Amino acid sequence: RREEAHAGMWHTRAVVRGVAAVAAAVAAAFSLTSSGQSAKQPVELGVLGNPARFAAITGQQSTARLLIAGWGARNFAQLFSMMGDHPMLGINAGTVISPAAIARGQDDDYLQALNAGIAEFGKPVYIRPLAEMNGHWNGYSAYDSSGRQRGPTHTTAMFKKAFARIYLAVHGGPDVNATLHTLGLPPFKGDLASNQLASVIWNPQGFGSPDLPGNSAQSYYPGDRYVDVVGDDLYFINGKAEWKAAEALYKAHPSKPFSFPEWGLWGLDDAGFVRAMATFVRTHPRTALISYYNGEPGSIFDLASKP
């Protein structure tokens, strides 16, 4: 009710007309290729936050809703049911479990529950594990804020094996353990359902933080075999957005669909950033998903709080 009341404050006639015009313009921009022809596949639109409230603010009809859960939650089918037509579940391991422990199967019960939850849901889902892995604020990153390596349990090599194990658990099927054997990793105990409707997003930041060669996005790439969609989180922050890094990620993986699982305005307002996103989507036809990070009502990301 609080969110509905907050959204209602913005429904003056002038705002509604303005929002409708902007929504129509952005929708048109997102639906065209650089040549002006209709794109083969429309870009899927998502949001972190309340989709109904975001629709009231912007007119965007979001088919994907991003929720980020900590490692250990097991109510997957319930979570998916709250996340729109095409759920996007982010998994943040924090400091609960290390990449090495994931790779070695020390909490396979969690991954098997994830596999079962996807199978029970029975519809397309995005799974976005261990995102922004080249950001020091994440406990599974190989580096801390000073640039020191976090040790043998957190190397980029261990991260790649952990990511591969998560990917195999998500998709399941009869060949999982044979593939794990080739990676030098222990098998799962018991069968895993085959989830052909799931898509795993590998989602670094464009530039590492700290920005070191060993902390680059590509240092964490597990290989094409273990990635369905490449992602980049892009914000307008401190007066700029890192479009160069987004371009590099797009070009680095030409066989993969591209996405922005998070994009938004970090405490600032800039209509040019939204237009630049429309231009990127229009000129990069492999872009499959963009998900706006609207945050909570009144947060620094919330569009309703911006001019």
Short mmCIF file of all heavy atoms in Angstrom, two decimals, residues 187-243:
data_model
loop_
_atom_site.label_atom_id
_atom_site.label_comp_id
_atom_site.label_asym_id
_atom_site.label_seq_id
_atom_site.Cartn_x
_atom_site.Cartn_y
_atom_site.Cartn_z
N PRO A 187 31.96 -35.82 -8.26
CA PRO A 187 30.62 -35.91 -8.84
C PRO A 187 29.54 -35.48 -7.86
O PRO A 187 29.76 -35.40 -6.64
CB PRO A 187 30.50 -37.40 -9.16
CG PRO A 187 31.34 -38.06 -8.11
CD PRO A 187 32.51 -37.14 -7.89
N PHE A 188 28.35 -35.21 -8.40
CA PHE A 188 27.16 -35.06 -7.58
C PHE A 188 26.68 -36.45 -7.16
O PHE A 188 26.82 -37.43 -7.89
CB PHE A 188 26.03 -34.36 -8.34
CG PHE A 188 26.22 -32.88 -8.47
CD1 PHE A 188 26.73 -32.33 -9.65
CD2 PHE A 188 25.87 -32.03 -7.44
CE1 PHE A 188 26.89 -30.96 -9.76
CE2 PHE A 188 26.03 -30.66 -7.54
CZ PHE A 188 26.55 -30.12 -8.71
N LYS A 189 26.10 -36.53 -5.99
CA LYS A 189 25.49 -37.78 -5.53
C LYS A 189 24.01 -37.74 -5.86
O LYS A 189 23.28 -36.86 -5.40
CB LYS A 189 25.69 -37.94 -4.02
CG LYS A 189 27.16 -38.05 -3.62
CD LYS A 189 27.32 -38.13 -2.11
CE LYS A 189 28.80 -38.21 -1.73
NZ LYS A 189 28.98 -38.25 -0.26
N GLY A 190 23.56 -38.64 -6.68
CA GLY A 190 22.17 -38.65 -7.08
C GLY A 190 21.98 -37.95 -8.41
O GLY A 190 22.87 -37.28 -8.94
N ASP A 191 20.78 -38.11 -8.96
CA ASP A 191 20.47 -37.56 -10.27
C ASP A 191 20.07 -36.09 -10.18
O ASP A 191 19.58 -35.62 -9.15
CB ASP A 191 19.32 -38.36 -10.91
CG ASP A 191 19.71 -39.80 -11.19
OD1 ASP A 191 20.91 -40.05 -11.41
OD2 ASP A 191 18.81 -40.67 -11.17
N LEU A 192 20.27 -35.40 -11.29
CA LEU A 192 19.85 -34.01 -11.43
C LEU A 192 18.88 -33.91 -12.60
O LEU A 192 19.15 -34.44 -13.69
CB LEU A 192 21.06 -33.10 -11.68
CG LEU A 192 22.04 -32.95 -10.52
CD1 LEU A 192 23.32 -32.29 -11.01
CD2 LEU A 192 21.43 -32.13 -9.39
N ALA A 193 17.78 -33.22 -12.38
CA ALA A 193 16.79 -33.04 -13.44
C ALA A 193 17.40 -32.25 -14.59
O ALA A 193 18.28 -31.40 -14.40
CB ALA A 193 15.56 -32.31 -12.90
N SER A 194 16.94 -32.53 -15.80
CA SER A 194 17.39 -31.80 -16.99
C SER A 194 16.54 -30.55 -17.15
O SER A 194 15.34 -30.63 -17.37
CB SER A 194 17.28 -32.70 -18.22
OG SER A 194 17.73 -32.00 -19.37
N ASN A 195 17.18 -29.38 -17.00
CA ASN A 195 16.47 -28.09 -17.07
C ASN A 195 16.89 -27.34 -18.33
O ASN A 195 17.82 -26.54 -18.32
CB ASN A 195 16.78 -27.26 -15.83
CG ASN A 195 16.21 -27.87 -14.56
OD1 ASN A 195 15.08 -28.37 -14.56
ND2 ASN A 195 16.97 -27.84 -13.48
N GLN A 196 16.20 -27.60 -19.42
CA GLN A 196 16.55 -26.98 -20.70
C GLN A 196 16.05 -25.54 -20.81
O GLN A 196 16.47 -24.80 -21.70
CB GLN A 196 15.98 -27.81 -21.85
CG GLN A 196 16.48 -29.25 -21.89
CD GLN A 196 18.00 -29.32 -21.96
OE1 GLN A 196 18.63 -28.60 -22.73
NE2 GLN A 196 18.59 -30.19 -21.15
N LEU A 197 15.14 -25.14 -19.91
CA LEU A 197 14.56 -23.79 -19.98
C LEU A 197 15.33 -22.78 -19.13
O LEU A 197 14.94 -21.62 -19.05
CB LEU A 197 13.10 -23.83 -19.55
CG LEU A 197 12.17 -24.69 -20.42
CD1 LEU A 197 10.75 -24.65 -19.86
CD2 LEU A 197 12.19 -24.20 -21.87
N ALA A 198 16.41 -23.22 -18.50
CA ALA A 198 17.20 -22.32 -17.66
C ALA A 198 18.33 -21.68 -18.47
O ALA A 198 18.89 -22.30 -19.37
CB ALA A 198 17.78 -23.08 -16.47
N SER A 199 18.66 -20.44 -18.14
CA SER A 199 19.79 -19.73 -18.75
C SER A 199 20.66 -19.17 -17.64
O SER A 199 20.17 -18.46 -16.75
CB SER A 199 19.30 -18.58 -19.64
OG SER A 199 18.55 -19.07 -20.73
N VAL A 200 21.95 -19.48 -17.68
CA VAL A 200 22.90 -19.02 -16.67
C VAL A 200 23.62 -17.78 -17.20
O VAL A 200 24.21 -17.80 -18.29
CB VAL A 200 23.90 -20.12 -16.30
CG1 VAL A 200 24.96 -19.58 -15.33
CG2 VAL A 200 23.17 -21.31 -15.69
N ILE A 201 23.58 -16.72 -16.42
CA ILE A 201 24.22 -15.45 -16.78
C ILE A 201 25.54 -15.32 -16.05
O ILE A 201 25.60 -15.38 -14.82
CB ILE A 201 23.31 -14.25 -16.44
CG1 ILE A 201 21.96 -14.37 -17.14
CG2 ILE A 201 24.00 -12.93 -16.82
CD1 ILE A 201 20.98 -13.26 -16.76
N TRP A 202 26.61 -15.14 -16.82
CA TRP A 202 27.93 -14.80 -16.26
C TRP A 202 28.03 -13.28 -16.30
O TRP A 202 27.96 -12.68 -17.36
CB TRP A 202 29.03 -15.45 -17.09
CG TRP A 202 30.43 -15.03 -16.71
CD1 TRP A 202 31.16 -15.46 -15.65
CD2 TRP A 202 31.27 -14.11 -17.42
NE1 TRP A 202 32.40 -14.86 -15.66
CE2 TRP A 202 32.49 -14.03 -16.73
CE3 TRP A 202 31.09 -13.35 -18.59
CZ2 TRP A 202 33.54 -13.21 -17.17
CZ3 TRP A 202 32.13 -12.54 -19.01
CH2 TRP A 202 33.34 -12.47 -18.31
N ASN A 203 28.19 -12.65 -15.12
CA ASN A 203 27.95 -11.21 -15.02
C ASN A 203 29.03 -10.50 -14.21
O ASN A 203 28.88 -10.25 -13.02
CB ASN A 203 26.58 -11.01 -14.38
CG ASN A 203 26.13 -9.56 -14.29
OD1 ASN A 203 25.08 -9.30 -13.74
ND2 ASN A 203 26.89 -8.61 -14.80
N PRO A 204 30.18 -10.18 -14.84
CA PRO A 204 31.19 -9.37 -14.17
C PRO A 204 30.82 -7.89 -14.25
O PRO A 204 29.82 -7.50 -14.84
CB PRO A 204 32.44 -9.65 -14.98
CG PRO A 204 31.90 -9.80 -16.38
CD PRO A 204 30.56 -10.49 -16.23
N GLN A 205 31.67 -7.07 -13.65
CA GLN A 205 31.71 -5.65 -14.00
C GLN A 205 32.62 -5.49 -15.21
O GLN A 205 33.54 -6.28 -15.41
CB GLN A 205 32.29 -4.83 -12.85
CG GLN A 205 31.41 -4.68 -11.65
CD GLN A 205 31.86 -3.49 -10.84
OE1 GLN A 205 31.07 -2.64 -10.50
NE2 GLN A 205 33.14 -3.42 -10.53
N GLY A 206 32.38 -4.44 -15.98
CA GLY A 206 33.22 -4.22 -17.14
C GLY A 206 34.69 -4.06 -16.78
O GLY A 206 35.58 -4.66 -17.39
N PHE A 207 34.96 -3.23 -15.76
CA PHE A 207 36.31 -3.05 -15.24
C PHE A 207 36.39 -3.66 -13.85
O PHE A 207 35.43 -3.58 -13.07
CB PHE A 207 36.69 -1.57 -15.15
CG PHE A 207 36.92 -0.91 -16.48
CD1 PHE A 207 36.18 0.19 -16.85
CD2 PHE A 207 37.87 -1.39 -17.35
CE1 PHE A 207 36.39 0.81 -18.07
CE2 PHE A 207 38.09 -0.79 -18.58
CZ PHE A 207 37.35 0.32 -18.93
N GLY A 208 37.52 -4.27 -13.52
CA GLY A 208 37.70 -4.81 -12.19
C GLY A 208 37.88 -3.70 -11.17
O GLY A 208 38.32 -2.60 -11.48
N SER A 209 37.54 -4.00 -9.94
CA SER A 209 37.77 -3.07 -8.83
C SER A 209 38.37 -3.89 -7.67
O SER A 209 37.64 -4.65 -7.02
CB SER A 209 36.48 -2.40 -8.39
OG SER A 209 36.71 -1.51 -7.32
N PRO A 210 39.69 -3.80 -7.46
CA PRO A 210 40.65 -2.91 -8.13
C PRO A 210 40.89 -3.32 -9.58
O PRO A 210 40.74 -4.49 -9.94
CB PRO A 210 41.92 -3.08 -7.29
CG PRO A 210 41.80 -4.45 -6.69
CD PRO A 210 40.34 -4.65 -6.43
N ASP A 211 41.26 -2.33 -10.37
CA ASP A 211 41.44 -2.55 -11.81
C ASP A 211 42.85 -3.06 -12.07
O ASP A 211 43.77 -2.32 -12.43
CB ASP A 211 41.19 -1.24 -12.56
CG ASP A 211 41.13 -1.43 -14.07
OD1 ASP A 211 41.10 -2.59 -14.50
OD2 ASP A 211 41.11 -0.41 -14.79
N LEU A 212 43.02 -4.37 -11.87
CA LEU A 212 44.30 -5.05 -12.05
C LEU A 212 44.18 -6.09 -13.15
O LEU A 212 43.09 -6.64 -13.37
CB LEU A 212 44.71 -5.75 -10.75
CG LEU A 212 44.83 -4.88 -9.50
CD1 LEU A 212 45.03 -5.76 -8.27
CD2 LEU A 212 45.98 -3.90 -9.65
N PRO A 213 45.27 -6.40 -13.84
CA PRO A 213 45.18 -7.42 -14.91
C PRO A 213 44.60 -8.74 -14.42
O PRO A 213 43.79 -9.36 -15.10
CB PRO A 213 46.65 -7.58 -15.35
CG PRO A 213 47.27 -6.25 -15.06
CD PRO A 213 46.61 -5.76 -13.78
N GLY A 214 44.98 -9.16 -13.23
CA GLY A 214 44.48 -10.43 -12.70
C GLY A 214 43.04 -10.38 -12.25
O GLY A 214 42.43 -11.43 -11.98
N ASN A 215 42.47 -9.17 -12.16
CA ASN A 215 41.09 -8.99 -11.71
C ASN A 215 40.19 -8.52 -12.84
O ASN A 215 39.10 -8.00 -12.61
CB ASN A 215 41.05 -7.98 -10.55
CG ASN A 215 39.78 -8.10 -9.72
OD1 ASN A 215 39.28 -9.20 -9.49
ND2 ASN A 215 39.26 -6.97 -9.27
N SER A 216 40.62 -8.71 -14.07
CA SER A 216 39.80 -8.34 -15.22
C SER A 216 38.61 -9.27 -15.34
O SER A 216 38.60 -10.39 -14.79
CB SER A 216 40.62 -8.42 -16.51
OG SER A 216 40.95 -9.77 -16.80
N ALA A 217 37.60 -8.84 -16.07
CA ALA A 217 36.43 -9.69 -16.28
C ALA A 217 36.84 -11.04 -16.88
O ALA A 217 36.39 -12.11 -16.44
CB ALA A 217 35.42 -8.97 -17.17
N GLN A 218 37.69 -11.00 -17.89
CA GLN A 218 38.05 -12.22 -18.62
C GLN A 218 38.80 -13.22 -17.73
O GLN A 218 38.80 -14.43 -18.01
CB GLN A 218 38.86 -11.89 -19.86
CG GLN A 218 38.14 -10.98 -20.85
CD GLN A 218 36.73 -11.45 -21.16
OE1 GLN A 218 36.48 -12.63 -21.34
NE2 GLN A 218 35.78 -10.52 -21.23
N SER A 219 39.43 -12.73 -16.68
CA SER A 219 40.14 -13.63 -15.77
C SER A 219 39.19 -14.60 -15.08
O SER A 219 39.62 -15.65 -14.58
CB SER A 219 40.91 -12.83 -14.72
OG SER A 219 41.90 -12.01 -15.32
N TYR A 220 37.91 -14.25 -15.03
CA TYR A 220 36.92 -15.07 -14.35
C TYR A 220 36.03 -15.84 -15.33
O TYR A 220 35.08 -16.50 -14.89
CB TYR A 220 36.02 -14.18 -13.48
CG TYR A 220 36.71 -13.52 -12.31
CD1 TYR A 220 37.40 -12.32 -12.45
CD2 TYR A 220 36.64 -14.08 -11.03
CE1 TYR A 220 38.00 -11.69 -11.37
CE2 TYR A 220 37.25 -13.46 -9.94
CZ TYR A 220 37.93 -12.27 -10.12
OH TYR A 220 38.52 -11.66 -9.05
N TYR A 221 36.31 -15.77 -16.62
CA TYR A 221 35.42 -16.40 -17.59
C TYR A 221 35.64 -17.91 -17.60
O TYR A 221 36.75 -18.38 -17.87
CB TYR A 221 35.66 -15.83 -18.99
CG TYR A 221 34.60 -16.25 -19.99
CD1 TYR A 221 33.29 -15.81 -19.85
CD2 TYR A 221 34.90 -17.09 -21.06
CE1 TYR A 221 32.30 -16.17 -20.76
CE2 TYR A 221 33.91 -17.46 -21.97
CZ TYR A 221 32.62 -16.99 -21.80
OH TYR A 221 31.64 -17.36 -22.69
N PRO A 222 34.58 -18.70 -17.35
CA PRO A 222 34.77 -20.15 -17.23
C PRO A 222 34.82 -20.89 -18.55
O PRO A 222 35.07 -22.09 -18.57
CB PRO A 222 33.54 -20.58 -16.42
CG PRO A 222 32.49 -19.60 -16.84
CD PRO A 222 33.20 -18.29 -17.04
N GLY A 223 34.58 -20.19 -19.65
CA GLY A 223 34.54 -20.83 -20.96
C GLY A 223 33.13 -20.87 -21.51
O GLY A 223 32.15 -20.92 -20.76
N ASP A 224 33.03 -20.87 -22.82
CA ASP A 224 31.72 -20.83 -23.48
C ASP A 224 30.82 -21.99 -23.06
O ASP A 224 29.59 -21.84 -23.03
CB ASP A 224 31.89 -20.85 -25.00
CG ASP A 224 32.41 -19.54 -25.55
OD1 ASP A 224 32.48 -18.54 -24.79
OD2 ASP A 224 32.75 -19.50 -26.76
N ARG A 225 31.42 -23.12 -22.76
CA ARG A 225 30.64 -24.32 -22.40
C ARG A 225 29.78 -24.08 -21.17
O ARG A 225 28.73 -24.73 -20.99
CB ARG A 225 31.61 -25.48 -22.16
CG ARG A 225 31.04 -26.72 -21.50
CD ARG A 225 30.10 -27.47 -22.41
NE ARG A 225 29.59 -28.68 -21.78
CZ ARG A 225 28.61 -28.73 -20.89
NH1 ARG A 225 28.03 -27.62 -20.50
NH2 ARG A 225 28.19 -29.90 -20.39
N TYR A 226 30.18 -23.15 -20.31
CA TYR A 226 29.52 -22.98 -19.01
C TYR A 226 28.84 -21.61 -18.87
O TYR A 226 28.60 -21.16 -17.74
CB TYR A 226 30.53 -23.19 -17.89
CG TYR A 226 31.26 -24.49 -18.03
CD1 TYR A 226 32.59 -24.53 -18.46
CD2 TYR A 226 30.62 -25.71 -17.78
CE1 TYR A 226 33.26 -25.74 -18.61
CE2 TYR A 226 31.28 -26.91 -17.94
CZ TYR A 226 32.59 -26.93 -18.36
OH TYR A 226 33.25 -28.13 -18.53
N VAL A 227 28.51 -20.98 -19.99
CA VAL A 227 27.85 -19.67 -19.98
C VAL A 227 26.76 -19.67 -21.04
O VAL A 227 27.01 -20.06 -22.18
CB VAL A 227 28.87 -18.53 -20.25
CG1 VAL A 227 28.15 -17.20 -20.42
CG2 VAL A 227 29.90 -18.45 -19.12
N ASP A 228 25.58 -19.21 -20.67
CA ASP A 228 24.50 -19.05 -21.64
C ASP A 228 24.37 -17.60 -22.10
O ASP A 228 24.11 -17.35 -23.28
CB ASP A 228 23.16 -19.50 -21.03
CG ASP A 228 23.14 -20.98 -20.70
OD1 ASP A 228 23.61 -21.78 -21.53
OD2 ASP A 228 22.67 -21.34 -19.61
N VAL A 229 24.53 -16.67 -21.16
CA VAL A 229 24.35 -15.24 -21.46
C VAL A 229 25.47 -14.48 -20.77
O VAL A 229 25.78 -14.76 -19.60
CB VAL A 229 22.98 -14.73 -20.96
CG1 VAL A 229 22.80 -13.24 -21.28
CG2 VAL A 229 21.83 -15.54 -21.57
N VAL A 230 26.08 -13.53 -21.47
CA VAL A 230 27.08 -12.64 -20.87
C VAL A 230 26.38 -11.38 -20.37
O VAL A 230 25.50 -10.83 -21.06
CB VAL A 230 28.17 -12.28 -21.89
CG1 VAL A 230 29.07 -11.16 -21.36
CG2 VAL A 230 29.01 -13.51 -22.23
N GLY A 231 26.74 -10.94 -19.18
CA GLY A 231 26.12 -9.75 -18.61
C GLY A 231 27.14 -8.70 -18.20
O GLY A 231 28.32 -9.00 -17.99
N ASP A 232 26.66 -7.48 -18.06
CA ASP A 232 27.46 -6.37 -17.55
C ASP A 232 26.53 -5.48 -16.74
O ASP A 232 25.42 -5.17 -17.17
CB ASP A 232 28.08 -5.57 -18.70
CG ASP A 232 28.92 -4.39 -18.22
OD1 ASP A 232 29.46 -4.46 -17.10
OD2 ASP A 232 29.03 -3.40 -18.96
N ASP A 233 26.95 -5.09 -15.54
CA ASP A 233 26.19 -4.13 -14.74
C ASP A 233 26.72 -2.74 -15.04
O ASP A 233 27.92 -2.48 -14.91
CB ASP A 233 26.34 -4.44 -13.25
CG ASP A 233 25.63 -5.73 -12.87
OD1 ASP A 233 24.83 -6.23 -13.68
OD2 ASP A 233 25.87 -6.23 -11.76
N LEU A 234 25.82 -1.85 -15.45
CA LEU A 234 26.25 -0.53 -15.92
C LEU A 234 25.41 0.55 -15.25
O LEU A 234 24.18 0.54 -15.36
CB LEU A 234 26.10 -0.45 -17.43
CG LEU A 234 26.67 0.82 -18.08
CD1 LEU A 234 28.19 0.83 -18.00
CD2 LEU A 234 26.23 0.94 -19.53
N TYR A 235 26.08 1.47 -14.58
CA TYR A 235 25.41 2.57 -13.91
C TYR A 235 25.99 3.91 -14.37
O TYR A 235 27.17 4.00 -14.72
CB TYR A 235 25.59 2.46 -12.39
CG TYR A 235 24.78 1.35 -11.77
CD1 TYR A 235 25.30 0.06 -11.67
CD2 TYR A 235 23.50 1.58 -11.30
CE1 TYR A 235 24.56 -0.97 -11.12
CE2 TYR A 235 22.75 0.56 -10.73
CZ TYR A 235 23.29 -0.71 -10.64
OH TYR A 235 22.55 -1.73 -10.09
N PHE A 236 25.14 4.92 -14.34
CA PHE A 236 25.62 6.29 -14.48
C PHE A 236 25.99 6.75 -13.07
O PHE A 236 25.12 6.96 -12.22
CB PHE A 236 24.54 7.18 -15.09
CG PHE A 236 25.02 8.57 -15.40
CD1 PHE A 236 25.75 8.83 -16.55
CD2 PHE A 236 24.75 9.63 -14.53
CE1 PHE A 236 26.20 10.12 -16.83
CE2 PHE A 236 25.20 10.91 -14.81
CZ PHE A 236 25.92 11.15 -15.96
N ILE A 237 27.28 6.86 -12.82
CA ILE A 237 27.78 7.14 -11.48
C ILE A 237 28.94 8.12 -11.57
O ILE A 237 29.78 8.02 -12.46
CB ILE A 237 28.19 5.83 -10.77
CG1 ILE A 237 28.67 6.09 -9.36
CG2 ILE A 237 29.22 5.07 -11.58
CD1 ILE A 237 28.92 4.82 -8.55
N ASN A 238 28.95 9.09 -10.67
CA ASN A 238 30.00 10.11 -10.66
C ASN A 238 30.12 10.80 -12.02
O ASN A 238 31.21 11.14 -12.47
CB ASN A 238 31.35 9.50 -10.27
CG ASN A 238 31.35 8.96 -8.85
OD1 ASN A 238 30.67 9.50 -7.97
ND2 ASN A 238 32.10 7.90 -8.62
N GLY A 239 28.98 10.97 -12.68
CA GLY A 239 28.95 11.73 -13.92
C GLY A 239 29.34 10.98 -15.17
O GLY A 239 29.53 11.60 -16.23
N LYS A 240 29.46 9.65 -15.10
CA LYS A 240 29.82 8.92 -16.31
C LYS A 240 29.34 7.48 -16.22
O LYS A 240 28.97 6.98 -15.15
CB LYS A 240 31.34 8.94 -16.53
CG LYS A 240 32.13 8.19 -15.47
CD LYS A 240 33.62 8.17 -15.81
CE LYS A 240 34.42 7.37 -14.79
NZ LYS A 240 35.85 7.29 -15.14
N ALA A 241 29.33 6.81 -17.36
CA ALA A 241 29.04 5.39 -17.45
C ALA A 241 30.13 4.73 -18.28
O ALA A 241 30.63 5.32 -19.24
CB ALA A 241 27.67 5.15 -18.08
N GLU A 242 30.50 3.52 -17.93
CA GLU A 242 31.64 2.84 -18.57
C GLU A 242 31.19 2.09 -19.84
O GLU A 242 31.21 0.86 -19.91
CB GLU A 242 32.31 1.88 -17.58
CG GLU A 242 32.83 2.55 -16.33
CD GLU A 242 34.03 3.47 -16.59
OE1 GLU A 242 34.49 3.52 -17.75
OE2 GLU A 242 34.49 4.12 -15.64
N TRP A 243 30.82 2.85 -20.86
CA TRP A 243 30.37 2.24 -22.11
C TRP A 243 31.50 1.50 -22.82
O TRP A 243 31.26 0.49 -23.50
CB TRP A 243 29.78 3.31 -23.03
CG TRP A 243 28.48 3.84 -22.54
CD1 TRP A 243 28.22 5.07 -22.02
CD2 TRP A 243 27.22 3.13 -22.52
NE1 TRP A 243 26.90 5.18 -21.66
CE2 TRP A 243 26.26 4.01 -21.97
CE3 TRP A 243 26.82 1.86 -22.91
CZ2 TRP A 243 24.92 3.63 -21.81
CZ3 TRP A 243 25.50 1.49 -22.76
CH2 TRP A 243 24.57 2.37 -22.21
#
